[in-house]
Amino acid sequence: MLVLPVFVDANVSARSEIASLPGHARLGVREVPRVAERAIAAGIGGLLLFGLPAEKDDRGESAADPFGPVPMALRALRDAGPGLVLIADVCLCEYTTHGHCGVITPEGLIDNDATLPFLAAAARVYAEAGADVVAPSDMMDGRVAAIRDELDAAGSPEAAILAYAAKYASSFYGPFRDAADCAPRFGDRAGYQMDPRNRREALAEIAADLEEGADMFMVKPAGPYLDVIAAARGRFDAPLAAYQVSGEYAALHAAAARGWIDLRRAALESLTGIARAGADSIVTYFALDAASWIRER
Ligand code: PBG
């Protein structure tokens, strides 16, 4: 059930620790197979790869560079032959100078439709490099259909799409934005991510993504949205992933570091709640720890 997020950084040769995500680092491409070995040994199901490119531009073109950090890591993992599901996050925010998940109009608005070809091109490159699953997290409308068409046309019909269908405009993404250097330089993401007060919109977003051809869907964040997970589980049969995001992880670590909670018990309780709500798989920064804690029980 557990999926480990991994940050692959084109600007790092070995490891660069991420202060706000204890135990996690930005990794150079050559370090990634080592993490995969640990993941296999721990018995976790997959890796979710994020990339930090050497160069950014206003259209995030390096997201589709076949020699960018994510495709390079995917090829290194394929050569290492691990029995892990390899999932590549698809978004522009790590690759754009302005830090938004899509292309920007001269007026400073997100150009939803102009973004779709860039996302599709990135998904194609990741599938060709060996991703089993591509996971669009940008929240542009129509991206699942655009990616499905591109993958089919490009000869990667087997690649699956895990759509971040119900992704809320959350205050729990802060540590990730430090880690992936993708905080928006102006404005916020409320124009394309969802309003935390709205549950029915999540169900509409999930239905739309499945209709467009998503094979699996995600609810994100997880802990504050257990009702959304439960409602989605009751309504849809497709596999449901939940993302316990960076701020959820960092908050538990920070409290534990002060002696206010027991990290291991609190982490396992939070993950159990997400599973109980109906998630089939959980993306979590606790993946390696949780797998070994569960085995020890
Ligand atoms: C980028 C993206 C974000 C996360 C995953 N993909 C940040 C954002 O939308 O601002 C957050 C993950 C986390 O906080 O762990 N599209």
Side-chain angles (χ1 to χ4, degrees), residues 33-45 82-84 287-288 291-292 295:
R34 226 185 300 245
V35 174
E37 283 166 25
R38 288 176 60 203
I40 293 166
I44 75 173
L84 279 174
L288 286 173
S292 61
R295 286 204 169 168

Side-chain angles (χ1 to χ4, degrees), residues 231-273:
R233 174 73 299 151
R235 180 87 61 99
F236 304 104
D237 291 328
L240 193 173
Y243 198 144
Q244 183 184 51
V245 302
S246 58
E248 299 178 74
Y249 175 84
L252 292 177
H253 259 281
R258 296 183 168 206
W260 292 346
I261 58 171
D262 179 287
L263 183 67
R264 174 176 171 151
R265 290 182 54 205
L268 288 177
E269 186 175 337
S270 69
L271 293 169
T272 300

Side-chain angles (χ1 to χ4, degrees), residues 270-293:
S270 69
L271 293 169
T272 300
I274 296 163
R276 193 186 59 237
D280 298 304
S281 58
I282 306 175
V283 182
T284 173
Y285 301 91
F286 285 116
L288 286 173
D289 290 334
S292 61
W293 292 333

Side-chain angles (χ1 to χ4, degrees), residues 183-226:
R185 301 291 184 266
F186 63 89
D188 59 32
R189 303 210 205 288
Y192 42 104
Q193 298 182 350
M194 290 177 33
D195 183 337
R197 295 168 292 190
N198 200 329
R199 176 155 51 132
R200 288 193 301 268
E201 188 186 14
L203 302 175
E205 289 275 2
I206 295 163
D209 282 1
L210 293 174
E211 181 76 16
E212 286 181 32
D215 300 282
M216 305 168 257
F217 66 94
M218 189 186 289
V219 175
K220 171 185 177 182
Y225 298 89
L226 295 181

